[in-house]
Amino acid sequence: MHLAFIIVFISCPLMHVFAETSPWTSNNRIAISADGNPDADADDVGATPMTLAVLAKAGLQENLVHYDFNNFLEYKRIESDQNRMWQSAMGGQSRWGFDRDRFFDASIDPEGAVSHLTMEINRSTAADPLYLIAGGPMELIYRALAAADADARQHVKIVSHHDYNEYFKPRLWHRNWNDIQTLVPNIGYLRIKDQNGNNGSGLKGSSLEDFSWLKEHADPNLNWVYKRIAAGKPDVSDTGMLTWLLRINGDDESVTIPEMQQWFGRDVIPNQNGTSDTPPAPQGVTPKVTPPKTQKTFEEVDGKLVIEAEDVPLTDQWKVENKEPGFSGTGYIRWMPSWINKISHQHQGVLVYKLRIHTPGKYRMALRSSHRGAPERDKWNDCWTLMGLNPVHPYGITRKTYHSINQQQFDDDAGFTWHTTHDNYGSVAKKEGHFSTPVYQLDEGDHYFWICGRSGGFRIDKIHFFKEGVSGFKSDSEPTTPILSVEEK
């Protein structure tokens, strides 16, 4: 086994299928769920037509029983002239004669995509398993599995190669790989190594020049694939899950771009009566967003919200502890992944605090947190946070929020303090700078504040939201504010 498989086995004991050689056989069905939404990584814009080209080259149009794309559910409306994935997916569908009824734009018809995938899951048996390639977040897959027959979903085998697909949530109340394991403990899982590769060992190119052979090929449909890659980025790494599944490179887990070129050869791919006319993209649909249900609502009084961190249901590897002195309430919460120094990918250990604001204004936020006993000052010291129900952009809106003590305080074994700073990245860093003070404009009404696990070992005791100008901010003596149950809403 490669080291990657050993690590996955240790950290995810519920995964029960591990193999360097694909178990797929030529009569097995294949389903694919991909993202590619405008705010997502642009690699799917090229990976989708490349994946369809591989299936067509192998003559497997009938084996592809489901393809959904733009699978960031409840996300954003995509206007027809901005729908890159429609051009990539439906262009490939029409060119190589794939069944039109098996393709779903999840940004337009999420219910249809879920229902169709559920139907294919329900066809699954030991003799007829479904190989489901996860090329995007897993909420759509979760919904289909939840609606499927319990016996049938035992015969689904999910293929993945990256933490992003397994854990990222376009909306923080969505479900990911952790939730799928809970729903179907014995589901098949084939976690292969990251297909992005380094030093030319995968399908992520350094420039469009790496794919010039497609541009120069005798097959006009492969010329079109080049144009779709150019419309996104020179990265078709998600295709690597399919090439591994089909074993086009023998027992190797990954295929390189030159090996892919050699495999395609010079012949034109039979198009199965396909046509180069891509059907026009339909008008975008504004998604219906259903806010998460919560057991409690934390009520603001006189411009103050004082919350014990442990007063919400914990998820994943969050634990309640009371070993470190100086905590309030019944204890503090601590993020405890399998490896104490692990940095967890967004979005695991999602905690939601529903806030009811009566006095609108700018509110300062602070976490009473600790990373006492950490091996270094930059270990065990942060989490992810987000305010609001807005879609989660993959590159910056979810904040790294950390216990910002200095080296002297760390050396003095500071323990719990209110030192809290946003460590920004991506689009937020460009707008607000690398570091910023947590402040939110909160209007009257209900708001949602999210905490996700990030640094193993990080501890949170209390949370403060204080309107600017209101005294008591970051004071240990401030009592908790009221908690309303569901019945008191």
Side-chain angles (χ1 to χ4, degrees):
M1 277 191 177
H2 288 321
L3 178 59
F5 281 86
I6 298 171
I7 292 173
V8 169
F9 181 79
I10 292 171
S11 61
C12 303
L14 291 178
M15 297 182 187
H16 75 276
V17 178
F18 301 92
E20 291 179 347
T21 301
S22 167
W24 181 85
T25 61
S26 60
N27 63 328
N28 290 151
R29 294 171 299 133
I30 298 171
I32 300 174
S33 182
D35 51 27
N37 302 66
D39 285 339
D41 196 349
D43 60 342
D44 289 278
V45 177
T48 284
M50 179 63 87
T51 295
L52 296 175
V54 170
L55 286 166
K57 173 70 175 178
L60 297 174
Q61 281 92 332
E62 285 304 309
N63 293 68
L64 183 67
V65 296
H66 173 92
Y67 202 118
D68 67 70
F69 55 95
N70 286 330
N71 77 354
F72 277 29
L73 299 186
E74 298 180 277
Y75 198 62
K76 295 178 181 178
R77 179 187 178 100
I78 305 175
E79 301 301 342
S80 57
D81 61 347
Q82 298 173 355
N83 198 335
R84 304 173 302 180
M85 283 296 287
W86 179 276
Q87 298 301 320
S88 293
M90 304 315 300
Q93 175 270 317
S94 62
R95 278 168 171 78
W96 288 297
F98 290 90
D99 188 337
R100 170 67 181 85
D101 293 336
R102 299 175 181 181
F103 282 70
F104 293 85
D105 185 337
S107 72
I108 294 172
D109 186 14
E111 293 83 6
V114 171
S115 177
H116 188 265
L117 182 55
T118 299
M119 179 186 72
E120 288 300 331
I121 292 170
N122 282 339
R123 290 179 55 196
S124 303
T125 64
D128 184 18
L130 177 66
Y131 287 85
L132 175 50
I133 293 175
M138 293 193 176
E139 171 69 10
L140 192 151
I141 293 174
Y142 179 94
R143 294 186 189 184
L145 285 167
D149 297 336
D151 289 341
R153 62 195 186 193
Q154 308 293 327
H155 304 294
V156 174
K157 302 180 188 299
I158 297 177
V159 182
S160 178
H161 77 117
H162 205 281
D163 284 352
Y164 171 82
N165 297 335
E166 294 161 355
Y167 297 114
F168 179 76
K169 299 179 178 183
R171 299 277 185 172
L172 284 180
W173 60 91
H174 284 179
R175 279 66 60 98
N176 60 17
W177 166 234
N178 290 340
D179 302 291
I180 288 177
Q181 290 180 91
T182 301
L183 178 69
V184 192
N186 294 320
I187 195 167
Y189 205 76
L190 298 162
R191 176 55 141 89
I192 63 175
K193 69 181 181 181
D194 185 355
Q195 297 295 294
N196 286 278
N198 294 306
N199 301 318
S201 64
L203 294 177
K204 182 176 182 178
S206 57
S207 70
L208 276 174
E209 185 62 27
D210 292 319
F211 294 97
S212 61
W213 54 277
L214 290 166
K215 182 180 180 180
E216 298 161 0
H217 201 280
D219 189 336
N221 287 332
L222 291 183
N223 305 158
W224 170 80
V225 172
Y226 174 84
K227 292 178 181 178
R228 296 314 302 156
I229 295 173
K233 59 191 297 189
D235 176 3
V236 297
S237 52
D238 276 359
T239 302
M241 289 183 280
L242 176 68
T243 59
W244 170 80
L245 197 68
L246 303 186
R247 295 191 296 278
I248 73 169
N249 200 29
D251 290 339
D252 287 351
E253 279 185 61
S254 61
V255 59
T256 66
I257 295 173
E259 288 169 338
M260 179 74 86
Q261 178 182 358
Q262 183 179 10
W263 182 79
F264 270 103
R266 298 181 179 182
D267 295 336
V268 173
I269 300 172
N271 66 5
Q272 301 288 353
N273 296 317
T275 172
S276 60
D277 296 327
T278 302
Q283 290 186 343
V285 174
T286 300
K288 179 182 178 181
V289 179
T290 304
K293 295 180 180 179
T294 60
Q295 296 180 8
K296 301 175 181 179
T297 301
F298 298 90
E299 187 175 32
E300 170 258 319
V301 176
D302 298 329
K304 302 179 182 181
L305 273 160
V306 180
I307 301 169
E308 292 287 353
E310 69 272 17
D311 279 345
V312 294
L314 302 186
T315 61
D316 298 336
Q317 281 79 50
W318 284 109
K319 310 295 181 186
V320 175
E321 291 186 354
N322 54 18
K323 297 177 183 179
E324 180 174 336
F327 67 85
S328 62
T330 59
Y332 53 86
I333 62 173
R334 191 178 191 192
W335 182 241
M336 292 294 288
S338 56
W339 175 43
I340 189 71
N341 292 324
K342 180 181 180 182
I343 301 298
S344 299
H345 188 278
Q346 301 178 48
H347 294 108
Q348 301 184 67
V350 177
L351 308 179
V352 55
Y353 299 82
K354 186 177 181 180
L355 316 178
R356 180 156 297 168
I357 300 297
H358 301 292
T359 312
K362 285 188 176 181
Y363 279 76
R364 300 158 289 172
M365 186 276 288
L367 305 177
R368 188 172 190 266
S369 59
S370 171
H371 62 295
R372 189 178 191 177
E376 300 173 38
R377 184 165 65 95
D378 64 349
K379 296 289 193 300
W380 308 3
N381 70 334
D382 63 6
C383 61
W384 301 102
T385 63
L386 176 73
M387 175 64 75
L389 290 177
N390 292 332
V392 182
H393 192 295
Y395 304 105
I397 293 178
T398 307
R399 314 291 192 98
K400 290 187 285 184
T401 302
Y402 79 105
H403 189 217
S404 52
I405 60 173
N406 60 37
Q407 188 64 48
Q408 185 60 54
Q409 290 167 325
F410 178 75
D411 293 340
D412 290 342
D413 219 15
F416 287 107
T417 80
W418 290 98
H419 293 79
T420 307
T421 298
H422 282 325
D423 181 359
N424 302 315
Y425 65 104
S427 59
V428 175
K430 292 179 182 178
K431 181 180 179 181
E432 300 181 15
H434 186 36
F435 299 106
S436 62
T437 301
V439 178
Y440 305 101
Q441 176 66 44
L442 301 181
D443 299 328
E444 183 177 0
D446 290 342
H447 300 263
Y448 294 81
F449 179 68
W450 310 83
I451 294 177
C452 307
R454 187 176 187 276
S455 295
F458 184 56
R459 285 154 264 177
I460 307 173
D461 179 42
K462 294 177 86 168
I463 308 168
H464 271 191
F465 290 93
F466 275 59
K467 187 179 177 182
E468 288 185 342
V470 174
S471 62
F473 184 53
K474 298 185 179 181
S475 170
D476 292 344
S477 62
E478 286 288 331
T480 56
T481 44
I483 301 175
L484 307 176
S485 66
V486 174
E487 292 75 16
E488 295 174 301
K489 288 184 61 178

